[in-house]
Amino acid sequence: MSDTTPTTIGEKIEELREHVKSTPGDSRAQAQLGDLLYQAGDLDNAKTHLSIATAIDPGLVGSYIQLGNICIRDCEYFRALGSWGVAQTFKPQDYIRLKMAMALPPIVENSNYIAIMQARLAQSLKLMAEAELNLEAPARDSATLFYLAYHGYNDRAYYEALVNIYLKSRPEYGAVAPHCAEGRDRSKEPRIKIGFVSSFFFDHSIGRLFKGMIMGLDRKRFHVTVAFAPHRTDHVTEEIQRRVDRTIQLPLELAPAREKLMAQELDVVVYPELGMDVFALCLAMARVAPVQAMSWGHPVTSGIPNMDYFVSAEDLEGPGAEGHYSEKLFKLNTLGTYYTRPKMPESPKTRVEFGMEENINYYMVAQYLFKLHPNFDQILGDVLRRDPKGHILLVHGARRRWSELLLARFKNSIPQVVDRIRFVPSQKHEDFLALMGCVDVSLDIPQFNGGNTTLEALSMGLPVVTMPTEFARGRYCMSIYKHMGYMDLVAETPEQYAEIAVRLATDPDFKEQAKARIAETAPRAFDNKEAISEWERFFVEACAEKGIAPPE
């Protein structure tokens, strides 16, 4: 290789590419190139070079693990298990055992496949609970149950089992901060000290949904700390930093991060979401504040004994919802997000620029592809059968293979209309909003609604059809409409859902009436000050139970 030391990841990749062209049997170089390509987001080429590296040298355990990570993301379930299994042969690690037990592909073939995955997961977690696992500080690529939320079932038992596995192996994860037992000196800071912890306080749905509430809390009564768990930062991060009392950056290692959080002597800690990354889930197992709460950023329970509350909303929860959570359910009187209306694109693209035809009725599913439950396929099919001029638009996901797998699924589930389902490229935010402005109807996924995407659609005046289901994740859109005072696009049955959607696209008077009502009522969904006051009510009431009160 060159004597000149490369300074950027791109330069390192190019140097290694040249090297493996001339020396393809250098397994270490192939492995290093695969790792760098993975870091750069080029997963297809990373998979190629990691496969070559492991074919040459089966002792490259790290390469097998990384290859398995890519394969499970590509829904190559058995190849992922095989890669991790080979890694276990050469260097057994209990976190890989647990990873194999919890593996879930992002895209599922049908509802039967979901049932099989659910049964396998239950049995696997049972076996892991019986094993004497030695789970060291979780690796960044440790498995989560993230995709389980999109199966449409109650996830509580699975999360409780997973947390118990971690706490059995690492009791110190459930450590208690001294001030939680002894109290803190309130003369130094009499306000209620609240901390918000997340890996997603940037231009991400979590950052957008929660930043307004965090920044808007009454600073006379509440001292606000934001703890950034390891992740990226951007203009949203900087905006939050400017508007709160204190920000801290948590270390990459779990133990020092836990100690740093405990040192803040918080009265309340809030995790806007849990279950999206293993670091935050394991961090949340500790008692770092007398009052500990999570919310609906990822709307499933944590299963954590030290988590006191799940903060939701009245309209998000149906009958018997308390059974969905290991935490005590606290229901706000409003959705709980102070969401700033997105700025309209200055020069929005047109249908022609998106490659769309003028004489077609376009129905858009604006959410991530892994949210598309197999039961939603029949609603899509019904819409297209009712509207011969209708086309459905889906947006390509992080992996092009997801689109291929969904298309294959549609060929089996709705073969008569699959030719009118189209995938469009992922868009930058401004163009995504412009695309919403070019379609006729947004189709909300009943099993897992859009929160951020619903608000974006309404900001563009785009009618969204929804149908509430059992769990909070299937009731976002209905809750937004109820707050707006406009319920005409909320269906009660799949048949009514398709009927409303097609009427919006084919009946100009009905469509204009809907758009007028959205223009009239949508402002109520944005900059909702009641969301802030409701969160403040929660903080005061929860703290009162611990004998903690804000200054007079």
Side-chain angles (χ1 to χ4, degrees):
M1 287 191 279
S2 169
D3 292 334
T4 305
T5 303
T7 57
T8 67
I9 189 170
E11 291 174 348
K12 291 177 184 177
I13 287 171
E14 288 309 311
E15 179 175 325
L16 284 165
R17 274 183 168 145
E18 290 301 314
H19 176 72
V20 298
K21 281 181 184 178
S22 60
T23 317
D26 187 340
S27 61
R28 300 286 170 177
Q30 295 280 8
Q32 187 180 0
L33 178 55
D35 284 337
L36 290 173
L37 288 165
Y38 184 90
Q39 293 174 39
D42 186 354
L43 301 194
D44 291 326
N45 282 313
K47 185 192 288 187
T48 297
H49 290 282
L50 291 169
S51 297
I52 293 170
T54 53
I56 297 167
D57 183 356
L60 292 172
V61 170
S63 295
Y64 269 116
I65 293 172
Q66 197 72 292
L67 183 58
N69 294 343
I70 299 173
C71 289
I72 193 64
R73 200 172 184 193
D74 277 348
C75 306
E76 296 175 336
Y77 181 73
F78 291 106
R79 187 179 177 190
L81 293 183
S83 295
W84 294 329
V86 174
Q88 285 294 87
T89 300
F90 289 95
K91 185 182 177 181
Q93 299 177 80
D94 281 350
Y95 99 90
I96 297 295
R97 289 177 68 188
L98 186 59
K99 190 182 184 77
M100 294 174 72
M102 294 167 56
L104 294 168
I107 305 297
V108 296
E109 296 174 22
N110 50 49
S111 294
N112 286 341
Y113 190 83
I114 288 177
I116 291 168
M117 286 288 101
Q118 294 262 325
R120 180 192 182 277
L121 180 61
Q123 182 63 17
S124 296
L125 289 173
K126 180 176 181 291
L127 292 172
M128 291 297 99
E130 294 168 354
E132 296 297 325
L133 298 183
N134 180 16
L135 297 170
E136 300 176 0
R140 297 300 293 169
D141 66 342
S142 294
T144 70
L145 295 174
F146 175 72
Y147 293 113
L148 189 65
Y150 306 102
H151 288 184
Y153 291 95
N154 186 351
D155 300 339
R156 177 175 175 175
Y158 300 106
Y159 273 92
E160 289 177 337
L162 175 60
V163 169
N164 286 336
I165 289 167
Y166 270 112
L167 291 175
K168 178 183 176 183
S169 175
R170 285 286 177 265
E172 67 271 21
Y173 285 9
V176 178
H179 78 282
C180 293
E182 303 164 5
R184 68 172 178 88
D185 182 356
R186 308 195 69 81
S187 64
K188 296 179 180 178
E189 178 51 76
R191 294 177 292 175
I192 293 177
K193 294 179 68 175
I194 304 169
F196 295 90
V197 185
S198 178
S199 300
F200 301 96
F201 285 141
F202 56 93
D203 193 13
H204 178 279
S205 58
I206 300 301
R208 295 183 211 131
L209 288 167
F210 286 90
K211 69 171 185 174
M213 178 273 290
I214 292 170
M215 297 187 302
L217 292 172
D218 180 5
R219 294 299 188 273
K220 293 180 180 178
R221 294 187 295 162
F222 306 104
H223 176 282
V224 177
T225 296
V226 171
F228 299 102
H231 218 301
R232 53 178 277 198
T233 60
D234 59 20
H235 66 280
V236 172
T237 316
E238 293 169 358
E239 183 182 8
I240 294 171
Q241 288 174 320
R242 290 193 300 269
R243 298 279 299 277
V244 299
D245 296 291
R246 179 181 298 163
T247 61
I248 58 173
Q249 182 69 46
L250 296 176
L252 289 167
E253 296 78 26
L254 187 61
R258 184 169 57 238
E259 291 169 7
K260 190 168 186 177
L261 203 51
M262 287 181 172
Q264 307 307 309
E265 293 193 326
L266 300 170
D267 297 314
V268 184
V269 66
V270 178
Y271 298 88
E273 87 297 321
L274 286 172
M276 292 171 63
D277 70 307
V278 69
F279 182 87
L281 183 69
C282 289
L283 183 64
M285 294 179 195
R287 169 70 64 182
V288 301
V291 176
Q292 307 209 140
M294 64 175 294
S295 196
W296 50 268
H298 186 60
V300 294
T301 188
S302 68
I304 296 173
N306 275 331
M307 194 60 56
D308 303 312
Y309 295 96
F310 189 101
V311 181
S312 186
E314 286 286 350
D315 293 329
L316 280 182
E317 305 297 343
E322 290 77 10
H324 304 162
Y325 306 101
S326 59
E327 306 82 11
K328 180 179 180 181
L329 183 60
F330 189 99
K331 292 183 276 191
L332 307 179
N333 290 322
T334 189
L335 189 54
T337 178
Y338 183 95
Y339 191 93
T340 301
R341 188 167 194 150
K343 292 181 180 179
M344 299 280 285
E346 291 183 8
S347 301
K349 288 184 176 180
T350 63
R351 278 195 171 194
V352 172
E353 291 173 288
F354 284 117
M356 299 164 64
E357 299 176 40
E358 290 299 330
N359 62 338
I360 296 294
N361 298 326
Y362 287 104
Y363 303 83
M364 182 179 182
V365 181
Q367 292 149 261
Y368 292 120
L369 297 183
F370 53 73
K371 290 187 176 184
L372 273 83
H373 193 281
N375 290 352
F376 188 46
D377 294 6
Q378 294 307 317
I379 292 180
L380 297 180
D382 194 9
V383 167
L384 292 178
R385 283 188 290 270
R386 289 169 183 254
D387 181 4
K389 292 175 62 178
H391 282 220
I392 285 172
L393 295 185
L394 299 168
V395 181
H396 281 304
R399 300 294 289 150
R400 189 57 61 99
R401 179 162 168 77
W402 295 358
S403 305
E404 296 168 357
L405 290 169
L406 276 174
L407 198 58
R409 189 175 92 188
F410 295 146
K411 286 179 179 178
N412 285 323
S413 61
I414 45 175
Q416 303 90 347
V417 294
V418 68
D419 59 320
R420 288 188 281 136
I421 298 177
R422 173 183 162 192
F423 291 85
V424 298
S426 180
Q427 308 287 323
K428 63 182 182 180
H429 191 237
E430 181 177 306
D431 289 343
F432 181 73
L433 294 177
L435 179 61
M436 284 183 158
C438 290
V439 303
D440 297 286
V441 185
S442 176
L443 302 178
D444 192 36
I445 301 170
Q447 292 80 10
F448 202 116
N449 293 179
N452 191 67
T453 50
T454 294
L455 291 165
E456 288 175 328
L458 294 172
S459 76
M460 296 299 295
L462 176 63
V464 183
V465 183
T466 192
M467 183 180 75
T469 48
E470 179 181 2
F471 302 104
R473 66 198 92 147
R475 302 171 69 86
Y476 289 153
C477 190
M478 178 274 291
S479 298
I480 293 169
Y481 272 135
K482 193 169 182 181
H483 182 76
M484 290 165 52
Y486 177 57
M487 297 288 284
D488 290 5
L489 307 185
V490 179
E492 295 182 2
T493 66
E495 294 75 19
Q496 188 182 26
Y497 182 112
E499 179 185 339
I500 293 171
V502 172
R503 189 179 176 196
L504 281 168
T506 61
D507 182 339
D509 291 339
F510 182 65
K511 181 179 180 179
E512 287 307 309
Q513 180 189 44
K515 290 175 76 72
R517 289 287 286 136
I518 289 170
E520 175 191 346
T521 60
R524 300 172 193 167
F526 302 104
D527 300 331
N528 178 18
K529 293 182 179 179
E530 185 186 5
I532 299 173
S533 62
E534 278 294 287
W535 272 97
E536 291 176 340
R537 176 175 70 87
F538 163 69
F539 294 136
V540 170
E541 291 183 12
C543 285
E545 293 190 12
K546 300 291 183 179
I548 300 168
E552 296 294 334

